[in-house]
Amino acid sequence: MDAKSVAAVRSRKRNSDKEIALAEATKPARKRDGMDLVVAGSVVGLFVLACSAAVYTMAAILMPIAFAIVVGIVLGRAADELARFGLPPIMGGLLLALFFMLGLSSLVNALLGPITEVAREAPRLAEGLVERILPFIERFEWGRIALERSIGGAAFADVIVKNAGPILGAAAASVTPALIQTLIFLAALVLFLLGRVHLRSTIILAFPSREGRLSAIRIMNAIEDELAQYFSTASLIYLALGGFTMVIALVGGLPMPPLWGLFAFVSSFIPYLGVTFMTLSLLVGGLMTHDALVAALAPSTAFFLIHLAMENLVVPAILGRRFEINPFLIFVAILFWTWMWGAVGAILAMPLSLIAMTIFEQLREVPPEPQLPG
């Protein structure tokens, strides 16, 4: 065999090897069956459970930091609006943070007096409250039978009075962790406002491509817009509710009507729990103030009806057009974050849902051409 024949054989062999390699490379991928889906779902489920456990375990740290970030985003957007008047964004953010801290301290001082008074007079108030409630319960046959079969009216009152101390002790035991978390929140808020611009630039530059950076800018701007719109609109609505509550307390003869209005405004930001606590507080205040049952029930009933009308008519009419979120998803989010972080979690449920919804919408609706956000 001459050299040309050997070269031809080698050439054919190389071509054959290339064709075999090409055939193997273009071989269709194996179709996923049901077991592959089960494995993928199990991995995602375990990841979600692990993340939930981590969030629940680290609640003492993550809760005030998340709250500080949400408040910092809103205050940062407000500081950007103040920049139109020549005030630097950092100075505007710190100024708004100072006003926020002053408002928070004023709220604590306003609450401290009544809470201290109630704690000091708790046994006497509980006994008087039970004495007023028992005659009303005994009017109904089922209530009278229940009291007779259980421990009796006098014993029932004694149990309430004896348990008032341990209940207040448990509440006082939670004050120290709350103070620590408040300090974490304030420190995180100030540091977030100081480094907000640099943090924003760092997040943008973390994406290597121009399209990724534009998407990051678009998402952060949309999150700021959504949170600012939500808190500004909700504050106006709940401020009106606080005004109605102050009038209800004034007409109902309750002491310190402005304080009741402030309570209503603040508690309205806590879904479900806030209105429940406020209604019960007005009920107790009415029972302690009036002897007639109708007059005692009037303030709590009026507040509940007004809150019910606002939550089912005013809030959906105003917020529903701006934030189209499924009510069932909001309800689930409120339950989840309340279980995770308590009352603060209930406050953060709506903002966190808005953030997740905004990110999802911005990632789903990608513009055809990369462009700077307007």
Side-chain angles (χ1 to χ4, degrees):
M1 184 178 295
D2 55 4
K4 292 184 178 180
S5 300
V6 173
V9 171
R10 290 179 179 177
S11 179
R12 287 195 297 269
K13 186 177 181 180
R14 285 195 299 267
N15 293 335
S16 177
D17 292 339
K18 290 181 180 179
E19 291 176 355
I20 293 174
L22 182 62
E24 291 179 352
T26 58
K27 184 172 62 176
R30 182 178 64 88
K31 293 183 179 180
R32 293 185 177 182
D33 53 9
M35 185 57 65
D36 294 331
L37 296 178
V38 171
V39 172
S42 301
V43 172
V44 173
L46 291 175
F47 177 76
V48 172
L49 289 177
C51 292
S52 301
V55 170
Y56 183 80
T57 305
M58 300 177 64
I61 298 176
L62 293 180
M63 178 176 62
I65 292 177
F67 197 18
I69 292 174
V70 171
V71 175
I73 291 175
V74 177
L75 295 181
R77 172 46 66 91
D80 292 339
E81 296 296 328
L82 292 178
R84 299 179 179 178
F85 301 96
L87 190 65
I90 294 180
M91 295 300 299
L94 292 179
L95 183 63
L96 291 175
L98 178 61
F99 285 139
F100 181 82
M101 293 177 188
L102 291 177
L104 185 63
S105 62
S106 301
L107 176 63
V108 172
N109 290 331
L111 293 174
L112 192 59
I115 289 177
T116 304
E117 182 68 22
V118 171
R120 185 172 61 250
E121 301 291 335
R124 186 182 63 83
L125 295 177
E127 185 176 2
L129 184 62
V130 170
E131 290 178 355
R132 295 188 180 186
I133 292 178
L134 284 179
F136 174 72
I137 297 178
E138 291 175 351
R139 294 179 184 178
F140 302 94
E141 185 177 357
W142 60 269
R144 186 171 61 254
I145 295 175
L147 290 176
E148 291 176 354
R149 289 183 177 180
S150 57
I151 51 179
F156 179 75
D158 293 338
V159 170
I160 295 296
V161 173
K162 291 179 180 179
N163 289 335
I167 292 174
L168 292 175
S174 63
V175 171
T176 302
L179 291 177
I180 296 175
Q181 292 177 358
T182 302
L183 293 177
I184 294 175
F185 163 75
L186 295 177
L189 177 61
V190 173
L191 294 176
F192 178 83
L193 290 173
L194 286 175
R196 184 176 67 93
V197 178
H198 183 266
L199 179 62
R200 181 186 175 95
S201 301
T202 303
I203 295 175
I204 294 171
L205 296 176
F207 294 88
S209 64
R210 182 173 181 270
E211 292 78 6
R213 293 176 181 178
L214 292 176
S215 298
I217 296 173
R218 210 166 38 244
I219 290 174
M220 287 188 289
N221 287 344
I223 289 175
E224 291 180 357
D225 291 339
E226 294 290 330
L227 291 181
Q229 288 282 345
Y230 167 71
F231 276 105
S232 60
T233 307
S235 298
L236 292 176
I237 295 174
Y238 297 146
L239 186 63
L241 179 62
F244 286 127
T245 307
M246 185 174 62
V247 174
I248 290 173
L250 182 62
V251 175
L254 299 181
M256 296 180 292
L259 194 59
W260 286 106
L262 180 62
F263 288 168
F265 171 74
V266 175
S267 63
S268 297
F269 286 95
I270 308 176
Y272 303 116
L273 298 177
V275 61
T276 303
F277 175 77
M278 193 66 202
T279 304
L280 292 177
S281 300
L282 286 170
L283 176 61
V284 173
L287 290 173
M288 292 171 55
T289 305
H290 302 286
D291 294 328
L293 186 61
V294 176
L297 295 178
S300 59
T301 303
F303 169 79
F304 183 77
L305 292 177
I306 291 177
H307 187 278
L308 189 67
M310 294 188 71
E311 287 292 334
N312 291 276
L313 297 177
V314 179
V315 173
I318 297 177
L319 293 180
R321 298 177 181 177
R322 184 68 179 85
F323 311 104
E324 297 180 359
I325 307 179
N326 191 301
F328 176 74
L329 296 180
I330 292 297
F331 178 73
V332 173
I334 291 172
L335 290 181
F336 176 78
W337 289 111
T338 303
W339 171 61
M340 281 287 185
W341 293 347
V344 177
I347 296 175
L348 292 175
M350 186 64 180
L352 293 177
S353 300
L354 285 176
I355 292 174
M357 180 195 70
T358 302
I359 295 175
F360 176 76
E361 291 293 335
Q362 292 295 323
L363 292 178
R364 187 181 63 174
E365 299 179 0
V366 180
E369 297 181 359
Q371 54 186 358
L372 288 173

